[in-house]
Amino acid sequence: MIQIKDNYFYLNTKNTSYIIRVLPDGTLNHCYYGKRIPSENLDWHNLFIPHDLTAPLKVGDEITTKDALPQEYPTAGRGDFREPAVILSGENGRMVNELAFVRYAKYEGVSHLEGLPHLDTCKGGVDTIELVMVDRVTGAEISLVYTVFEDCDVVARHTVVRNITDYPVKIHKVASVSLDIEDDGFDALTLHGAWARERNLERYPLHHGQCEVSSRRGASGHHSNPFMALLSREANEFSGDVYGMALIYSGDFKIGAQLSQFDTVRFYAGLNDDTFCWILERGETFTSPQAMLTFSQNGLNGMSANFHKACRCHLGACALKQAHPIVLNLWEAFYFDINEERVLKAITQAAALGIDTIVIDDGWFGNRSSDKTSLGDWVINREKFPNGFDEIVNECEKNNIKLGIWFDPESINQISDLFKQHPDWAICIDGIDPVESRNQLLLDFSKHEVIDYIFSKMSDVVKKYNIKYIKWDYNRNMTDNGSNRLLPERQGEHSHRYMLGVYSLMSRMRKEFPEVFFEGSSGGGGRFDFGMLYYMPQIWTSDNSDAFGRMKIQYGTSIVYPPETISAHVSVCPNHQTNRTTPFETRENVAQLFSYGFELDLNDISDETKTVIKEGIQKHRRIQSWLADATFYRLLSPFSGNTCAWQLVSADKKYSVMMYAVGLVDPNFSGQYVKPMGLDPNAIYVIKELGITVSGAVLMGAGIPVKAHPRDFDSQLFTIEQL
Ligand code: GLA
């Protein structure tokens, strides 16, 4: 709900309030963001700090300094020396700006960000307000757009720059959000990682200056996620104040928190200005990516629940609630040695177990017998598949199995027919060798003809073979950033234009094939972000399919992203990435609460294990029937101990599943009690695995005893169901 009284804007969700005020000089003053409070006048609530050495600002009768003033969208060069949200230059080239409020527009529902992923689905209780300001230096207009999602305690923000002047305006920097709050002894929490060990938790106290995570890879990246949380010092998973910020964007980003000389915190997110600048011609408009902001008093689990709900109820493909199929992906089974015979056999084997979809991964096209060739040549390799996919499609139909295939649409190998025809379509710099990564280059997706070509090639295959599942990979980072199409002064536009091109292809594919289920991937989880989730409701979480590795990866990923978006596959042992052997049961248990599937050669699986797989699939189908609205709780962190526990509770609290696992154990480990959360205290629950019937209150208070003296990597799954 948005209320406007006098010079105040009150943005209220179920449990939070965000309050903005217009100061007499036109500055938008940030007054409050936190737990919900009544929408009252806050004229008395000033902590204006006068200071001799910085530029003075007159607010009513008081003189303060802009360097300490909490603002909604700060600029540079007019007395605030902290991180600016925006830098524009106009006719005189000066990179100084001063914004003054001119008007607002308020409406029901969301604002549509053309060509960009954003929260776009309304299910009641969604309002938007645009606060329009003019820059006194360049004359450009800037709108701060706030969409308030009452149900999930999320305020989404983005920025629109309009060139209403007669001259080009250069955008050197444009944040999606900037928020000035009082320091509460904050720790920052971010998700760092690398290939095969994505989204590790890292928590650290803010220090004076900036704590920042960013990407300049053309993708959000394995190394850090477009997310940051600020936690009051005592906050933990279960209680305490947490502010969360996540960008709905998949390219170069920056998210940070700056602790100022006056101990105020500036929390900001947006495009990475290191690889961005944009020329806005007269009459043109630029729209920044959207950021989600949330606040919870219920610790990190509370913050995650808000992000999960926003994603499930309001974010593009995720809000469509397509059923997540249980897949058998053949990558780890056969790698590049995939062929018709192997796939045909896998189809009947998969059908016998109750699997929904079979995915032919990399290696089916061009002359692709290794990672050295053929990306870009999206025609079936007739040596491996002499009948195209005709026989495979027939076999799938006979067995009621759906067919999925893999693409890396944005890439090209220099050894390919496409490169021979269009070497100028690859991102390169004339005169120097391009940087290859996994032997591949990127296609210049800022060019429409490249996107049109790839769209037609992908659609041909998808249409002809009735493909129902696409795994969309992106197996390298961007180098040689720029385009031979863009003017020299516009090269800074390339990485964002590339991303817009990727989004446009994704959007076209989704529209053309609405019944296809899309899974994102990027060398595993190198592009796991809300931008991708707008188009694809599930992402391959990591190339590391080792159950022990997955405890951390899935725990970390769930901090921001809902469990059903997290692809979790059971694979063989010794694990192909870590060479570790874990019990089959643990591999299943660790995957069960997420988007469940398999990544193995069923020829290697014993009949006994096949029975376990069948039961596991049935178990997952029961979980799946309520997973889409379930609350996910992290109970024991693999980052702070040797154990890991997480739990799902259905929206009606009738069903719950808890997973507990250990790593390498010390001898004589006595077991422990794990306290589930979110149950109905007054309801009676049955835990089948323990043969007990007990109230929710007792379970949550006293905890569930887990096995003493486990072996390394043991695990247990508890189904907790109301009587
Ligand atoms: C990436 C993906 C893998 C697999 C390979 C194929 O690494 O994450 O799952 O698809 O590409 O080359």
Coordinates of all heavy atoms in Angstrom, one line a residue, residues 195 331 336 361-362 368 406 438 471 473 475 521-524 540 543 599, ligand 1:
W195 N 33.9 -22.2 -9.9 CA 33.3 -23.3 -10.6 C 33.3 -24.5 -9.7 O 34.2 -24.8 -9.0 CB 34.1 -23.6 -11.9 CG 33.6 -24.9 -12.6 CD1 32.5 -25.0 -13.4 CD2 34.1 -26.2 -12.5 NE1 32.3 -26.3 -13.8 CE2 33.3 -27.1 -13.2 CE3 35.2 -26.7 -11.8 CZ2 33.5 -28.4 -13.3 CZ3 35.5 -28.1 -11.9 CH2 34.6 -28.9 -12.7
W331 N 24.5 -36.2 -19.5 CA 25.9 -35.6 -19.6 C 26.9 -36.5 -18.8 O 27.8 -37.0 -19.4 CB 25.9 -34.2 -19.1 CG 27.2 -33.6 -19.0 CD1 27.9 -33.1 -17.9 CD2 28.1 -33.3 -20.1 NE1 29.1 -32.6 -18.3 CE2 29.3 -32.7 -19.6 CE3 28.1 -33.6 -21.5 CZ2 30.4 -32.4 -20.4 CZ3 29.1 -33.2 -22.3 CH2 30.3 -32.6 -21.8
F336 N 30.7 -36.7 -24.3 CA 30.5 -36.4 -25.8 C 30.2 -37.7 -26.6 O 30.0 -37.7 -27.8 CB 31.8 -35.7 -26.3 CG 31.9 -34.3 -25.8 CD1 32.9 -34.0 -24.9 CD2 31.1 -33.3 -26.3 CE1 33.0 -32.7 -24.4 CE2 31.2 -32.0 -25.8 CZ 32.1 -31.7 -24.9
D361 N 22.3 -34.0 -23.5 CA 23.2 -32.8 -23.2 C 24.1 -32.5 -24.4 O 23.8 -32.9 -25.5 CB 23.9 -33.1 -21.9 CG 24.2 -31.8 -21.1 OD1 25.2 -31.2 -21.5 OD2 23.5 -31.5 -20.2
D362 N 25.2 -31.8 -24.1 CA 26.2 -31.4 -25.1 C 26.6 -32.6 -26.0 O 26.5 -33.8 -25.6 CB 27.4 -30.9 -24.3 CG 28.3 -30.1 -25.2 OD1 28.1 -30.1 -26.4 OD2 29.3 -29.5 -24.6
R368 N 30.5 -32.2 -33.2 CA 30.9 -32.1 -31.8 C 31.3 -33.4 -31.1 O 30.5 -34.2 -30.6 CB 29.7 -31.5 -31.0 CG 29.9 -31.1 -29.6 CD 30.5 -29.8 -29.4 NE 30.4 -29.3 -28.0 CZ 31.1 -28.3 -27.5 NH1 31.9 -27.6 -28.3 NH2 30.9 -27.9 -26.3
W406 N 20.1 -29.9 -25.1 CA 21.1 -28.8 -24.6 C 21.4 -27.9 -25.7 O 21.7 -28.3 -26.8 CB 22.3 -29.6 -24.1 CG 23.4 -28.8 -23.5 CD1 23.7 -28.5 -22.2 CD2 24.5 -28.2 -24.3 NE1 24.9 -27.8 -22.1 CE2 25.4 -27.6 -23.3 CE3 24.9 -28.2 -25.6 CZ2 26.6 -26.9 -23.7 CZ3 26.0 -27.5 -26.0 CH2 26.9 -26.9 -25.0
R438 N 37.3 -22.4 -22.7 CA 36.8 -23.8 -23.1 C 36.7 -23.8 -24.7 O 35.8 -24.3 -25.2 CB 35.4 -24.0 -22.5 CG 35.2 -25.5 -22.3 CD 33.7 -25.8 -22.0 NE 33.5 -27.2 -21.7 CZ 32.4 -27.8 -21.9 NH1 31.4 -27.2 -22.5 NH2 32.3 -29.1 -21.6
K471 N 17.8 -27.2 -22.0 CA 18.9 -26.7 -21.0 C 19.7 -25.7 -21.8 O 20.3 -26.0 -22.8 CB 19.7 -27.9 -20.6 CG 20.8 -27.5 -19.6 CD 21.5 -28.8 -19.1 CE 22.8 -28.5 -18.3 NZ 23.5 -29.7 -18.0
D473 N 22.7 -23.4 -21.8 CA 24.0 -23.2 -21.1 C 24.7 -21.9 -21.6 O 24.3 -21.3 -22.6 CB 24.9 -24.4 -21.4 CG 25.6 -24.9 -20.2 OD1 26.0 -24.1 -19.3 OD2 25.7 -26.2 -20.0
N475 N 28.7 -21.3 -21.4 CA 29.9 -21.9 -20.8 C 31.2 -21.1 -20.8 O 32.3 -21.7 -20.9 CB 30.1 -23.3 -21.5 CG 29.3 -24.3 -20.7 OD1 28.9 -24.2 -19.6 ND2 29.1 -25.5 -21.4
S521 N 21.8 -22.7 -17.2 CA 23.0 -23.3 -16.7 C 24.1 -22.4 -17.2 O 24.0 -21.7 -18.1 CB 23.2 -24.7 -17.3 OG 24.4 -25.3 -17.1
S522 N 25.3 -22.5 -16.5 CA 26.4 -21.7 -17.0 C 27.7 -22.4 -16.3 O 28.0 -22.0 -15.2 CB 26.3 -20.3 -16.5 OG 27.5 -19.6 -16.8
G523 N 28.2 -23.4 -17.0 CA 29.3 -24.1 -16.3 C 28.9 -24.5 -15.0 O 29.5 -24.3 -14.0
G524 N 27.6 -25.1 -14.9 CA 27.0 -25.3 -13.6 C 26.2 -24.0 -13.2 O 25.4 -23.5 -14.0
W540 N 20.5 -25.2 -13.4 CA 21.5 -26.3 -13.0 C 22.5 -25.6 -12.0 O 23.2 -24.7 -12.3 CB 22.2 -26.8 -14.2 CG 23.2 -27.9 -14.0 CD1 24.5 -27.9 -14.5 CD2 23.1 -29.1 -13.2 NE1 25.2 -29.0 -14.1 CE2 24.4 -29.8 -13.3 CE3 22.1 -29.6 -12.4 CZ2 24.6 -31.0 -12.6 CZ3 22.3 -30.8 -11.8 CH2 23.6 -31.5 -11.9
D543 N 28.2 -27.8 -11.5 CA 28.7 -29.0 -12.1 C 29.2 -30.0 -11.1 O 29.5 -31.1 -11.4 CB 29.8 -28.6 -13.1 CG 29.3 -28.2 -14.4 OD1 28.1 -28.5 -14.7 OD2 30.1 -27.6 -15.2
E599 N 21.7 -37.9 -13.0 CA 22.8 -37.5 -13.9 C 23.7 -38.7 -13.9 O 24.7 -38.7 -13.3 CB 23.4 -36.3 -13.3 CG 24.5 -35.6 -14.2 CD 24.0 -34.4 -15.0 OE1 22.8 -34.0 -14.7 OE2 24.7 -33.9 -15.8
Ligands
GLA1 C1 28.3 -27.2 -18.6 C2 27.1 -27.7 -17.8 C3 27.1 -29.2 -17.8 C4 27.2 -29.8 -19.1 C5 28.3 -29.2 -19.9 C6 28.3 -29.6 -21.3 O1 29.4 -27.3 -17.9 O2 27.0 -27.2 -16.5 O3 26.0 -29.7 -17.0 O4 26.0 -29.4 -19.8 O5 28.3 -27.8 -19.9 O6 29.4 -29.1 -22.0

